[in-house]
Amino acid sequence: MKLLKWLDQNLEECAMILFLILLTCIMMLQVILRYFFRSPLSWAEEACRYCFVYSVMLATAYCIRKKRMLRVDVVINLFPPKAAKVLDLAAQLMAIVFCVIMLRPAWNVMASAHRIGNVSSGMELPVWILYTSAPVGFFLGIIRGIEVFVLSLKEFAHYLKTGEEAEQA
């Protein structure tokens, strides 16, 4: 049970950290091999690209979970607190809808790449592995978005009932 709770709170963050550490180590190794030993790796740039793409797609779910989506707070702060909370709920709902809309085309691109069967030039990995990052990111974005939206609805109901801000967990 503790493992599931830990995964719920840290899955995207740990995976992004892992991918970025891997990217950094591979790139450092590539620089050392290229400039000091004149023998670069043929697959390093491609591996770094895969790590970067996966970390970006996981960042979608992470930002939704942490309520760090791109928005203009100046506009939201012009409204009274109740209206600002409604706008925040609307923004969360739009993030969920965006992920839902994007999931199907992302899945179709990944499935098409799987059917075609191309492999990458450097690592000779199936290209669909890279394209899997988008459906995974959007799916996790939907899950995290629903989770945050439900919690925000509860906080909003508490705010309407008592007029007080709910404590953040």
Side-chain angles (χ1 to χ4, degrees):
M1 206 59 182
K2 285 185 179 185
L3 176 66
L4 289 177
K5 185 176 181 176
W6 185 88
L7 277 174
D8 177 48
Q9 294 173 349
N10 300 298
L11 175 68
E12 295 91 355
E13 191 172 7
C14 287
M16 287 187 312
I17 289 169
L18 177 70
F19 282 124
L20 292 176
I21 288 171
L22 193 58
L23 183 150
T24 304
C25 291
I26 292 170
M27 219 16 112
M28 187 183 308
L29 178 65
Q30 176 71 340
V31 167
I32 291 168
L33 290 175
R34 174 177 285 161
Y35 291 107
F36 294 111
F37 298 103
R38 306 271 189 245
S39 180
L41 300 170
S42 62
W43 52 267
E45 286 86 2
E46 191 173 292
C48 289
R49 187 178 320 125
Y50 275 47
C51 290
F52 181 73
V53 168
Y54 268 90
S55 66
V56 167
M57 291 310 301
L58 289 171
T60 303
Y62 176 79
C63 289
I64 290 172
R65 169 116 166 76
K66 298 291 184 178
K67 295 184 181 181
R68 302 280 189 246
M69 298 169 292
L70 186 62
R71 62 184 184 185
V72 182
D73 286 339
V74 173
V75 175
I76 292 174
N77 292 337
L78 293 174
F79 292 92
K82 192 182 291 187
K85 291 183 185 308
V86 170
L87 286 174
D88 186 50
L89 286 169
Q92 291 174 20
L93 198 55
M94 286 192 300
I96 296 168
V97 169
F98 174 78
C99 288
V100 167
I101 290 169
M102 294 305 295
L103 182 61
R104 182 160 184 117
W107 182 269
N108 289 342
V109 168
M110 189 244 352
S112 176
H114 188 268
R115 266 193 312 280
I116 293 170
N118 288 346
V119 294
S120 62
S121 58
M123 296 172 58
E124 297 185 6
L125 283 174
V127 174
W128 66 267
I129 292 174
L130 176 63
Y131 292 143
T132 301
S133 63
V136 167
F138 291 128
F139 179 74
L140 286 173
I142 292 167
I143 300 300
R144 293 304 193 180
I146 292 169
E147 179 182 25
V148 168
F149 187 74
V150 168
L151 291 173
S152 295
L153 275 177
K154 288 180 182 178
E155 290 173 7
F156 186 64
H158 176 76
Y159 175 78
L160 290 176
K161 185 177 175 184
T162 64
E164 299 173 358
E165 295 283 330
E167 288 186 34
Q168 296 292 324

